[in-house]
Amino acid sequence: MKSSFDDKRHTPEGAERINPYDCNRDKGEQVEEMFDSIAPAYDFMNTAMTFGLHRRWRDKALKAAVELLNQSVNTSSGLRDDVSEILDVATGTGDVAFRLHEMLPKAKITGIDLSAGMLDVARKKLDAMPPAAADLIAFGKADCLKLPFRNSGFDLITVAYGVRNFENLLLGLKEMRRVLKKDGVLCVIELSCPEGKLTGLGYRIYSRHLIPMVGRMVSGDSRAYTYLPESIAAAPQREAMAKIMREAGFSDIKWKSLTFGAVTYYLAK
């Protein structure tokens, strides 16, 4: 099912204007190419860049999302294990999808991504899991701006470190709202810039110099990890992101920054 939203007159702004390679092609095409290129090194770089903190950030955000979902459907406290449908947008190598399976072992989880290379890594991980997991977790290639799913089909939608790569952020958020159930929850996890003077300075030095250097050495892609800090700096953050989420039709939006503001997660209904 294609989106009913028209983005033909959309003017790129913020991170939408930051492209991985050049200005002559659509951002979505370049994002796909970039993640295909860095897929073999992606998990290692995530751990190295965040000193392993990305797992802690992920778990805090997902726990808060599931707790909010419990409240919205008037269930008892604790992790709910009977959620039927979860969508992980920009699933990459499946990190969030697999963690959700551990938290909600009865849920059916679909992970989508533009990058075939990233999905190949995710499927290899799935093949190494117990056979029962293959009945509940599926990965597929799909465009977040044209989600191939029916209206109101998912209880929970997650997207980790992906929205700043959207060619049209508002359209992507509207698509997620379209396929989310009435009492469903959206959880967005995204890197952000620390606001303190000293932490901000340290972050800029680290993200603009050290990360690109190590990224080039490990992934072999000279541009991908330069694009990373550029896109983070240009993306809407905190209240600015919440404003766009409200414009897309979400409500009860809350956000929380972690580790001096290096990452922020957003929850919405």
Side-chain angles (χ1 to χ4, degrees):
M1 172 180 280
K2 291 188 176 182
S3 166
S4 60
F5 299 100
D6 184 4
D7 68 332
K8 292 180 180 179
R9 293 177 294 177
H10 175 72
T11 300
E13 55 185 67
E16 297 170 351
R17 296 182 287 103
I18 308 298
N19 294 315
Y21 298 116
D22 58 62
C23 299
N24 302 318
R25 295 175 292 158
D26 290 341
K27 178 168 182 172
E29 177 185 345
Q30 296 184 57
V31 167
E32 179 180 356
E33 178 184 341
M34 179 186 71
F35 281 109
D36 281 346
S37 171
I38 66 174
Y42 183 79
D43 286 337
F44 172 81
M45 283 299 299
N46 263 7
T47 301
M49 286 189 307
T50 67
F51 305 99
L53 287 172
H54 66 292
R55 299 186 184 93
R56 180 187 174 202
W57 299 337
R58 173 201 65 195
D59 289 356
K60 281 183 173 291
L62 295 183
K63 183 178 180 181
V66 173
E67 288 177 347
L68 180 60
L69 184 59
N70 288 339
Q71 296 169 12
S72 70
V73 295
N74 296 316
T75 63
S76 59
S77 61
L79 294 180
R80 181 183 174 197
D81 65 358
D82 63 341
V83 176
S84 58
E85 296 279 352
I86 298 175
L87 175 64
D88 184 36
V89 176
T91 193
T93 61
D95 181 62
V96 169
F98 294 127
R99 184 67 181 112
L100 284 167
H101 176 66
E102 293 175 357
M103 296 171 69
L104 302 166
K106 296 181 181 179
K108 183 177 180 181
I109 301 168
T110 301
I112 64 159
D113 203 281
L114 276 177
S115 168
M118 298 287 273
L119 292 170
D120 285 344
V121 176
R123 292 189 181 107
K124 288 178 181 177
K125 293 181 183 177
L126 182 59
D127 289 342
M129 296 178 67
D135 295 330
L136 294 169
I137 304 173
F139 295 107
K141 186 174 181 179
D143 186 347
C144 63
L145 304 186
K146 297 178 181 178
L147 293 174
F149 306 111
R150 69 184 187 280
N151 294 348
S152 307
F154 295 96
D155 300 277
L156 172 64
I157 297 178
T158 58
V159 52
Y161 314 115
V163 294
R164 62 188 164 74
N165 298 316
F166 285 11
E167 189 168 339
N168 184 329
L169 175 57
L170 179 60
L171 178 58
L173 288 169
K174 286 182 176 180
E175 270 292 83
M176 288 187 279
R177 180 185 179 276
R178 177 181 67 80
V179 303
L180 190 64
K181 290 181 181 178
K182 180 180 178 181
D183 293 323
V185 169
L186 171 68
C187 175
V188 174
I189 310 171
E190 190 52 86
L191 296 169
S192 51
C193 298
E195 296 180 307
K197 288 185 178 180
L198 289 178
T199 53
L201 176 61
Y203 169 81
R204 287 192 295 273
I205 293 172
Y206 175 68
S207 65
R208 295 179 184 179
H209 300 284
L210 186 58
I211 286 179
M213 180 183 69
V214 175
R216 284 193 296 270
M217 293 170 57
V218 174
S219 72
D221 190 316
S222 62
R223 174 60 185 157
Y225 287 94
T226 300
Y227 163 79
L228 173 66
E230 291 176 355
S231 62
I232 295 170
Q237 299 176 16
R238 303 177 180 92
E239 284 299 334
M241 179 69 79
K243 180 180 179 182
I244 297 175
M245 294 172 77
R246 282 190 288 271
E247 187 178 350
F250 290 98
S251 62
D252 298 330
I253 301 163
K254 298 180 177 66
W255 58 265
K256 184 174 183 178
S257 290
L258 304 172
T259 314
F260 306 108
V263 67
T264 302
Y265 70 83
Y266 306 81
L267 299 176
K269 296 181 181 178

